[in-house]
Amino acid sequence: ENVSLPFKLYCLTVMTLVAATYTVALRYTRTVETELYFSTTAVCITEVIKLFLSVGILAKETGSPARLMTSLKENVLGSPKELLKLSVPSLVYALQNNMAFVALSNLDAAVYQVTYQLKIPCTALCTVLMLSRSLSKLQWLSVFMLCGGVTLVQWKPAQATKVQVEQNPWLGFGAIAVAVLCSGFAGVYFEKVLKSSDTSLWVRNIQMYLSGIVVTLCGVYMSEGAQVLEKGFFYGYTSYVWFVIFLASVGGLYTSVVVKYTDNIMKGFSAAAAIVLSTIASVVLFGLQITLTFFLGALLVCISIYLYGLPRQDTTKIEPSETKSSKERLVTV
């Protein structure tokens, strides 16, 4: 994709700001609101909203309801293989979330935060292996520097407690390893699907979000099914909760744009910048204390973003496999 640098910077900036705002709003709803909503239903609603937003953008892209219906019939209803292909990241992300929960239940919070940041170099490794892309030594240095910076920003030393929680460290480390691998693989897999064909980004989003709705509904049933049936699907929803869901939806769409026109590694850098911004916002809104580790971590994040963004040669070698057929479809339309 030959996209101008200003457009890439715009996408990354918007994604960073949306992600930071989402983090702060989410913290507000989970700490200030009196009635906690079901997080699994919120995730499901987010997928639904992303689906409708993608359909709306595709409708504007196609230009007419007739062309929209033709595109949906051809690429969604008439392409079960493509739907199956895009269900892979949805399933892998679901596995990642569950493994992260298992890991957090069996590891100290500080150990969890440190080890989970391994998803950043894992994503870089998956990018090299799956997309035939090479990174310079300076870029590898910036990736590991980012990993260390995010770790320091989120570092909260474990506090002694009289409550003894039975934990299995080996299970915890095994779960975190699976979660890290899932994070790297799913993100790069989706990037490869996006960049290996001329199929519209919004068509790909629709295909993935359909699978995501099914997966998240299963998650609602398995984790909070009885409580949802008792209290209702939208229990605890307030205007703030809907605002968080909207931010998550917009952030999800922008994430796909960033992956399409940059890469998953840059997505990780954007997410790290969002963590720093949201923490700074928490200082103002929630009275969070800035520590030396946060300052050093934020400094490392900023330096790593600068180093990775230095001019380099793009060595991606993904050959569009569907270019010809896609162009032929456009001619027939």
Side-chain angles (χ1 to χ4, degrees):
E1 296 286 346
N2 295 321
V3 182
S4 64
L5 179 61
F7 179 74
K8 291 182 179 180
L9 292 176
Y10 167 77
C11 292
L12 289 169
T13 302
V14 172
M15 178 182 167
T16 300
L17 293 175
V18 171
T21 307
Y22 165 77
T23 302
V24 174
L26 179 62
R27 180 176 179 180
Y28 178 86
T29 60
R30 304 304 284 184
T31 57
V32 179
E33 295 287 282
T34 55
E35 293 185 348
L36 290 181
Y37 57 95
F38 299 119
S39 58
T40 54
T41 63
V43 173
C44 182
I45 293 299
T46 300
E47 294 296 304
V48 173
I49 294 176
K50 286 191 289 187
L51 174 64
F52 279 104
L53 288 175
S54 296
V55 172
I57 296 173
L58 181 62
K60 184 177 180 180
E61 189 178 83
T62 54
S64 69
R67 289 184 178 180
L68 172 64
M69 293 306 299
T70 300
S71 179
L72 291 177
K73 288 179 180 178
E74 180 179 349
N75 296 293
V76 180
L77 300 178
S79 301
K81 289 184 179 180
E82 295 301 311
L83 281 175
L84 184 62
K85 183 190 297 184
L86 269 297
S87 67
V88 172
S90 297
L91 293 171
V92 175
Y93 278 131
L95 176 61
Q96 172 196 340
N97 293 333
N98 282 280
M99 288 297 100
F101 176 79
V102 173
L104 188 57
S105 301
N106 287 278
L107 295 173
D108 291 333
V111 177
Y112 170 82
Q113 289 290 0
V114 172
T115 53
Y116 197 45
Q117 302 315 317
L118 291 173
K119 64 183 180 180
I120 299 172
C122 182
T123 299
L125 181 60
C126 288
T127 299
V128 171
L129 295 177
M130 297 174 63
L131 303 184
S132 301
R133 179 180 300 160
S134 62
L135 300 180
S136 67
K137 292 181 181 179
L138 186 61
Q139 287 175 318
W140 276 112
L141 174 64
S142 66
V143 166
F144 283 100
M145 187 180 294
L146 179 73
C147 182
V150 175
T151 300
L152 289 176
V153 166
Q154 295 184 309
W155 179 265
K156 292 180 181 179
Q159 298 179 351
T161 176
K162 296 181 180 180
V163 180
Q164 298 297 324
V165 181
E166 185 177 351
Q167 295 180 327
N168 185 339
W170 289 107
L171 177 60
F173 283 118
I176 204 84
V178 174
V180 164
L181 290 173
C182 286
S183 177
F185 171 79
V188 177
Y189 176 92
F190 183 54
E191 180 181 350
K192 185 173 184 178
V193 172
L194 284 180
K195 294 182 177 179
S196 61
S197 75
D198 285 341
T199 304
S200 169
L201 167 65
W202 308 111
V203 169
R204 290 302 191 191
N205 277 341
I206 291 169
Q207 293 169 340
M208 186 170 70
Y209 296 149
L210 282 172
S211 303
I213 291 172
V214 175
V215 171
T216 53
L217 280 175
C218 292
V220 172
Y221 173 77
M222 294 174 63
S223 62
E224 297 173 324
Q227 295 171 290
V228 170
L229 287 176
E230 178 185 353
K231 297 183 178 181
F233 195 87
F234 299 102
Y235 173 78
Y237 278 50
T238 63
S239 57
Y240 291 107
V241 175
W242 283 109
F243 180 59
V244 168
I245 292 175
F246 174 75
L247 287 175
S249 304
V250 174
L253 293 180
Y254 260 100
T255 298
S256 63
V257 173
V258 168
V259 170
K260 174 72 172 179
Y261 297 114
T262 59
D263 56 44
N264 269 277
I265 302 176
M266 286 305 300
K267 183 188 76 173
F269 279 82
S270 179
I275 291 173
V276 174
L277 285 179
S278 62
T279 305
I280 294 174
S282 296
V283 173
V284 178
L285 298 176
F286 305 111
L288 185 68
Q289 297 294 320
I290 289 290
T291 62
L292 178 61
T293 55
F294 171 82
F295 176 77
L296 293 176
L299 183 62
L300 282 177
V301 168
C302 293
I303 294 174
S304 64
I305 292 174
Y306 171 76
L307 292 178
Y308 189 85
L310 291 176
R312 65 191 186 280
Q313 183 179 3
D314 188 5
T315 56
T316 306
K317 299 178 180 178
I318 302 178
E319 295 294 335
S321 58
E322 302 173 18
T323 303
K324 184 176 180 181
S325 60
S326 299
K327 289 182 177 178
E328 291 175 353
R329 288 198 299 268
L330 288 174
V331 172
T332 56
V333 172

